[in-house]
Amino acid sequence: MFKTFLQVQAMEDIPHFVKNKMLSAIFKMNPNKWRVVGITENAVIRFAEHDFKRTVRMGINRSHIFQRSERNKFLLANTNWTLEKWWDYFYSRDECILATSTENMSKEKLISRFKVPSNLFRSSGYAYEVKEPEKKFLKKVYKELTIASKK
């Protein structure tokens, strides 16, 4: 990914929006892309309403904490990257929070109610997986929510 990034960065007379699309395609090679690190309270409730299964129209999105276009703009603007510094910057800004579509589209800053353990809700194309480990996690945090709401 880094070598290809450097080739895109070095291209002359290519508009930024084209380079941004190129980077998006390149960054899809990351096997652990768009890591889910948190989930909102509303997203947990929505999952509970859908029996802790992911359905197409349930309205839960991976909401990027850092705008990918801004991340890419910064990456392209700096020409003194080492592999390690580049990767650290890229990887630390490739995180998402599971949120409802309404929360995702809002101008408000997303607040993650629960931290998501690593390797849950892994990317599957543009979607994310909800298998037994994810269901177990969702049921656990939903139980915490219902206990807290009774207090």
Side-chain angles (χ1 to χ4, degrees):
M1 284 174 45
F2 181 62
K3 284 183 184 179
T4 310
F5 162 79
L6 291 175
Q7 291 173 339
V8 170
Q9 186 182 45
M11 291 177 175
E12 295 181 17
D13 300 324
I14 304 293
H16 174 75
F17 78 93
V18 174
K19 287 184 177 185
N20 189 48
K21 288 194 179 283
M22 291 173 159
L23 292 183
S24 292
I26 293 163
F27 294 160
K28 287 179 189 166
M29 292 189 300
N30 178 7
N32 195 16
K33 62 186 167 293
W34 300 353
R35 294 179 332 282
V36 175
V37 297
I39 186 169
T40 67
E41 182 175 331
N42 290 334
V44 171
I45 293 167
R46 182 78 50 87
F47 270 111
E49 293 168 353
H50 290 265
D51 198 28
F52 303 101
K53 297 176 186 164
R54 183 180 176 276
T55 61
V56 176
R57 304 225 189 287
M58 72 186 296
I60 301 289
N61 305 111
R62 281 182 296 188
S63 305
H64 297 271
I65 297 171
F66 300 97
Q67 291 293 323
R68 289 170 287 165
S69 59
E70 291 299 315
R71 175 200 63 203
N72 294 351
K73 185 177 179 181
F74 185 83
L75 286 169
L76 288 167
N78 291 282
T79 57
N80 58 344
W81 292 111
T82 65
L83 172 60
E84 293 77 21
K85 287 183 180 180
W86 178 86
W87 180 254
D88 288 346
Y89 183 86
F90 165 78
Y91 196 73
S92 70
R93 284 161 181 79
D94 197 38
E95 298 175 326
C96 299
I97 295 173
L98 290 178
T100 65
S101 299
T102 303
E103 290 172 318
N104 189 31
M105 298 305 290
S106 170
K107 300 290 182 194
E108 301 292 319
K109 180 177 170 52
L110 284 173
I111 305 296
S112 173
R113 174 71 188 265
F114 298 99
K115 183 178 179 194
V116 172
S118 59
N119 292 320
L120 292 184
F121 305 101
R122 292 188 59 94
S123 290
S124 177
Y126 284 104
Y128 54 89
E129 297 177 342
V130 179
K131 295 181 177 177
E132 283 309 310
E134 288 81 7
K135 289 178 186 179
K136 185 177 176 181
F137 166 78
L138 289 166
K139 288 176 183 179
K140 175 184 166 273
V141 296
Y142 182 70
K143 185 177 180 180
E144 289 177 30
L145 273 179
T146 56
I147 290 171
S149 69
K150 291 179 183 176
K151 290 182 179 181

